[in-house]
Amino acid sequence: MSGYPSGANFNPDEMTSITVVLGALNSSRAEVLVFHATLFLLAIIALLVLLSAPRALARLWRTSEWCNGHFLRKGTYRRPTSIVRHYPDPPSSSKEVASDDSHTLYTHTKHAERINDKDTSVILSYPPHVASCPRFLRPLVAPLRTRVAIGFSIAQGLTISLYSCILIYAAFYKSSPFTDPIRTGWVAIAQLPFVFAFATKNNVLGTFLGMGYERLNFLHRFAGRLVVLAANIHSIGYFYRWSLAGNFMIQIKRPQTIWALVALVCFDSMTLFSTLYWRQRAYNVFIATHVIGVALVLPALWLHKPSMMPYILACIGIYGFDYVLRLVKTRFASAIIRPLPELGSTRIEVAGINAGWRAGQHVRVRIASMAMGWWGWTEVHPFTIASVSGGQEGLVLLCKKTGSWTTKLYEMAKAGGYTEAGIGRKINIMIEGPYGGPGHMIFSSFSAAVFVVGGSGITFALPAVQDLIQKDLDGQSRVKIIELVWVVQDSASILPFLPLFASMIESSAFTPVRISVHYTQAILGGKAPLVSHPGLTLSPGRPRIGKVLDTAISRAVTLGSGAKDSERITGLLVGVCGPTALGDDVAKAVGMIPAVRRNQVGGIEMHEEVFGW
C-alpha cells in the first residue's frame, strides 16, 4: 500500500525528496502554461499594432512631422504664409446665402491666393487620411463608444473582459488554488511587466498603438488589481495547505516565505492607497506608497523565488527605459507667470521653448521656488499646452486653481508685481514632456473638425484650431470647416480670449471657423460681455451638441472650398477636452448620429482628453 517493496524500511528523507521533485514539476508546468498565456496576450497586442500600422505610417507623410510630439526644443519661428486677396464683383446668382454662412467675411476662398515668402503660389499638399476602421465595420464599431458607466465605454469593458478570461483560464484550467496554489503565483508575476508597461509615461505599447499613457491607464489599474488578487489567492492557498499539514508556523518562518509576505503587504498597500479616495484627497500619499512599494516588491519577489528573475528584469527594464527618457525629456527653463482672474487660472509663459509638441499634448511641470512651500518643489502636475508649436509666443500653459498647489501658484503670480509685459513674476521651472496627444491621428487629414471643450479644456482646443489654420494657409489641411464649442460657468471667461478668437477667425481665410461660447451660470448684477465679431457667439445654457455635429457634417459635404471640393470626404473629427461627464455627453451625441450621415461624411472619429484619469 505504501508503494515500497515488502519488508523495506520507510525513509522520511526520501519521501521529502519526492515531494520536492513533484512540487518542482508542478511549478514548471504552471510556469509553462502561464508563459503561453502571456505569449497569447502579446500576440493580441501585436495584431493590434499591425492593424494600426497604416495610420502610423501615414503620420510620417512629411519629414517635419517626425520630430514633433517627442522632445521640446527651441526652434525657428514659423512665419505665417502671406495671403493675397482678390475681390471681384460677385457673380449674379439667385442663390441666397444661408444664415450659418453669413459670417464668412474672411472666407472668400475662390477670391484669395496662398503666397509663400518667395512670392510664388503655395503648392497644395494634403496629408493622407487612414480611417480608424473600414466602412463595413462602422456599424459594429460605433456602439463600442457607448458609455456603460461614467468615463467607461463598452470597448473598455470588452477589453478587460477578454483580458480577464485569458488570465482565468491560465489560473484555473485543471487546477484548484487550494491544491495547486503555485499557478496563481505565476499568473501574478507574469502580469507584472504589463502593469509597469501600462503605467509608464513613455509607454512603449501606447507608442505603437497610437495611444498616450493616460488612455491606457485604465488597463494599468485593472491589471494591477488582477495581480494583487492573484497574489492573495496564491498566499491563501498556501496558508490553507500548511494549516491542513499542521506546519503553518514552521513554513511561515522560512526566509522565502517572509519575503513573500513583504511583497504581499506592498501589493495590498499600493492597492489600498490607489483608490479614488486617496488619489483625490491625499495624492502625495498615493504617490509615496507606490514609489516605496515598487522599490520593495521587486527585490522581495526575487528573494522569495529566484526563478522569477526574467519577469523582474523585464519590469526593471521597462521602468529604467521610462526613467531615462523622462530625464532626456526634461527641460530647465525660465518662465513668466501671470494671474488670470477671469479664469481663476495662472498663465505660464516659457519663451525659451517654442517647438517639439503636437496640438493636444501635455507636459508635467515642477516649480523650483520656495514660495510654493517646503515640499512644493517635489510635486509634479500635468497641464495641456495652450500654444501652437512653432509660434512666436513660445510654450504657454494655463493652470486652473483646483487644489492647494495650483492656488499657491496663482497667489505667487498675483504677488509678483510688474514686468515688462504687465503683472507677473519670473520663476525657474522644470518641464517634462510632451506626452499624450492624438497619437496616429492626423487632425488636418479630416474634412471637418469639431472641438467641444469645458472650462480649462480650452487649452486643448486653442493650439489644435490654430495649427489647423496654419496648416491650411500652408496648403496642408483637408479641413473645410472648424467648429469650436466652449462651455464655461462664467461669461466673463471669454474676455481674455476675445482678441485671440477674433484673430483666429480673421486668419482662417480658406477654412471657416465658428466659435460658440456657452455659459451655464446666471449673471448677477451685470450683463454678459458684448460680442460683435462675425463667427463668434456667446449664449446662455448648454450647447446642443447633436445639432452642432449635424451642422458640421452638412457644411463639410456642401460648403464650397475651392480646390478641396475635388477631394474625397475623409470624415469628421470630434475633439473633446474637459470633465469626464462632458466626454460622455459628446460620445452619446456622436452615437445618436444615423449611419447614413456617418457614411456621408466618411466616418466620425473621437479624440478625448478628459480630466480624471
Side-chain angles (χ1 to χ4, degrees):
M1 293 180 64
S2 64
Y4 285 85
S6 176
N9 295 325
F10 176 74
N11 189 341
D13 293 336
E14 183 178 349
M15 196 66 185
T16 302
S17 300
I18 294 174
T19 303
V20 171
V21 171
L22 291 176
L25 182 60
N26 289 337
S27 176
S28 177
R29 290 174 178 174
E31 182 181 0
V32 171
L33 177 61
V34 173
F35 178 71
H36 288 163
T38 303
L39 289 180
F40 185 67
L41 285 173
L42 291 175
I44 293 176
I45 295 175
L47 177 61
L48 294 176
V49 171
L50 183 62
L51 293 176
S52 63
R55 286 167 68 89
L57 294 176
R59 262 276 291 129
L60 306 178
W61 73 290
R62 295 181 67 89
T63 55
S64 59
E65 294 290 329
W66 295 12
C67 299
N68 288 335
H70 306 296
F71 301 100
L72 301 174
R73 65 182 188 275
K74 175 68 174 179
T76 305
Y77 169 56
R78 183 177 64 179
R79 295 181 56 190
T81 304
S82 301
I83 302 171
V84 178
R85 294 190 178 92
H86 307 284
Y87 297 115
D89 294 333
S92 59
S93 175
S94 59
K95 180 180 179 181
E96 296 182 0
V97 179
S99 59
D100 285 342
D101 299 332
S102 60
H103 74 280
T104 56
L105 176 62
Y106 306 98
T107 57
H108 300 291
T109 58
K110 295 183 179 180
H111 310 296
E113 184 181 6
R114 297 176 176 87
I115 302 295
N116 58 25
D117 55 359
K118 298 180 181 179
D119 200 28
T120 59
S121 297
V122 172
I123 300 176
L124 301 180
S125 177
Y126 298 140
H129 179 80
V130 180
S132 59
C133 69
R135 178 172 177 173
F136 69 91
L137 288 179
R138 288 174 193 163
L140 299 177
V141 174
L144 299 180
R145 195 180 290 118
T146 304
R147 300 302 200 258
V148 294
I150 298 177
F152 192 78
S153 66
I154 291 179
Q156 291 173 306
L158 291 176
T159 300
I160 64 176
S161 296
L162 176 61
Y163 188 21
S164 301
C165 289
I166 296 173
L167 295 189
I168 290 173
Y169 172 83
F172 301 113
Y173 175 70
K174 293 184 178 180
S175 174
S176 168
F178 296 104
T179 59
D180 185 21
I182 190 65
R183 182 86 67 85
T184 49
W186 280 113
V187 169
I189 189 63
Q191 297 311 301
L192 205 55
F194 289 97
V195 176
F196 275 71
F198 291 136
T200 54
K201 299 297 181 291
N202 298 283
N203 196 306
V204 178
L205 297 179
T207 300
F208 286 115
L209 293 173
M211 300 180 182
Y213 73 91
E214 71 282 2
R215 296 180 64 186
L216 295 175
N217 191 256
F218 81 99
L219 282 175
H220 163 67
R221 294 195 297 266
F222 184 76
R225 292 186 177 103
L226 287 182
V227 167
V228 174
L229 179 61
N232 278 273
I233 294 175
H234 169 70
S235 302
I236 292 173
Y238 273 102
F239 294 163
Y240 175 79
R241 172 186 285 187
W242 296 338
S243 298
L244 288 182
N247 60 355
F248 180 87
M249 296 307 299
I250 297 175
Q251 295 289 348
I252 204 70
K253 293 179 181 179
R254 297 174 60 194
Q256 66 180 39
T257 306
I258 293 175
W259 285 113
L261 291 176
V262 171
L264 185 65
V265 171
C266 290
F267 279 140
D268 291 340
S269 299
M270 285 190 288
T271 302
L272 173 63
F273 291 106
S274 65
T275 55
L276 186 62
Y277 175 88
W278 289 100
R279 293 203 313 269
Q280 291 184 343
R281 296 176 180 267
Y283 188 80
N284 288 335
V285 174
F286 156 67
I287 291 295
T289 53
H290 256 59
V291 172
I292 296 174
V294 169
L296 291 176
V297 76
L298 294 181
L301 288 173
W302 173 65
L303 292 170
H304 167 59
K305 195 172 184 64
S307 58
M308 293 180 178
M309 181 55 71
Y311 295 102
I312 297 172
L313 290 177
C315 294
I316 295 174
I318 292 171
Y319 181 78
F321 175 77
D322 173 67
Y323 191 79
V324 170
L325 270 186
R326 288 169 68 173
L327 290 176
V328 173
K329 286 189 171 187
T330 299
R331 302 288 182 267
F332 298 85
S334 296
I336 301 294
I337 56 175
R338 310 183 195 280
L340 298 177
E342 298 88 351
L343 298 175
S345 303
T346 305
R347 178 183 171 96
I348 301 180
E349 305 169 2
V350 186
I353 300 175
N354 72 334
W357 66 88
R358 298 178 68 197
Q361 289 191 298
H362 67 271
V363 293
R364 293 162 51 84
V365 177
R366 189 193 307 267
I367 305 296
S369 173
M370 291 302 297
M372 297 295 293
W374 284 100
W375 301 104
W377 62 272
T378 63
E379 296 189 35
V380 183
H381 292 259
F383 297 102
T384 303
I385 303 174
S387 55
V388 64
S389 179
Q392 193 170 14
E393 59 183 349
L395 187 146
V396 176
L397 306 172
L398 295 181
C399 311
K400 186 176 179 62
K401 291 192 300 179
T402 56
S404 59
W405 189 89
T406 49
T407 300
K408 289 179 182 178
L409 181 64
Y410 180 79
E411 295 300 327
M412 185 169 64
K414 283 178 59 179
Y418 287 86
T419 64
E420 296 179 356
I423 297 177
R425 179 172 181 171
K426 188 174 182 179
I427 61 171
N428 294 321
I429 64 174
M430 294 172 58
I431 301 179
E432 177 193 326
Y435 296 119
H440 298 335
M441 184 182 292
I442 306 175
F443 287 176
S444 57
S445 70
F446 291 84
S447 292
V450 174
F451 298 94
V452 183
V453 297
S456 58
I458 189 65
T459 56
F460 159 73
L462 287 178
V465 174
Q466 289 177 289
D467 187 60
L468 287 177
I469 293 173
Q470 181 59 55
K471 281 185 167 58
D472 187 54
L473 295 179
D474 294 338
Q476 299 173 10
S477 173
R478 297 177 181 270
V479 179
K480 294 183 177 182
I481 178 69
I482 301 174
E483 294 270 0
L484 170 57
V485 179
W486 186 24
V487 184
V488 295
Q489 292 183 343
D490 189 354
S491 60
S493 301
I494 194 177
L495 293 176
F497 296 98
L498 280 175
L500 178 58
F501 286 163
S503 174
M504 289 164 55
I505 294 172
E506 293 176 8
S507 61
S508 59
F510 301 94
T511 300
V513 174
R514 297 201 311 178
I515 302 175
S516 306
V517 182
H518 297 259
Y519 58 94
T520 58
Q521 285 186 351
I523 301 174
L524 300 177
K527 296 182 179 180
L530 180 62
V531 176
S532 59
H533 197 283
L536 176 60
T537 59
L538 178 64
S539 308
R542 298 189 178 277
R544 298 171 60 185
I545 301 175
K547 182 179 179 181
V548 173
L549 297 177
D550 187 71
T551 302
I553 293 175
S554 299
R555 293 169 66 84
V557 175
T558 62
L559 184 65
S561 300
K564 294 180 184 178
D565 286 342
S566 60
E567 295 291 319
R568 66 186 178 93
I569 304 298
T570 53
L572 169 65
L573 163 69
V574 181
V576 187
C577 186
T580 305
L582 179 63
D584 292 347
D585 291 341
V586 175
K588 182 179 179 181
V590 171
M592 295 178 65
I593 296 177
V596 175
R597 296 289 280 167
R598 290 174 180 272
N599 293 332
Q600 187 180 19
V601 78
I604 302 176
E605 296 186 30
M606 279 187 61
H607 174 74
E608 297 182 64
E609 298 280 346
V610 296
F611 307 153
W613 47 263

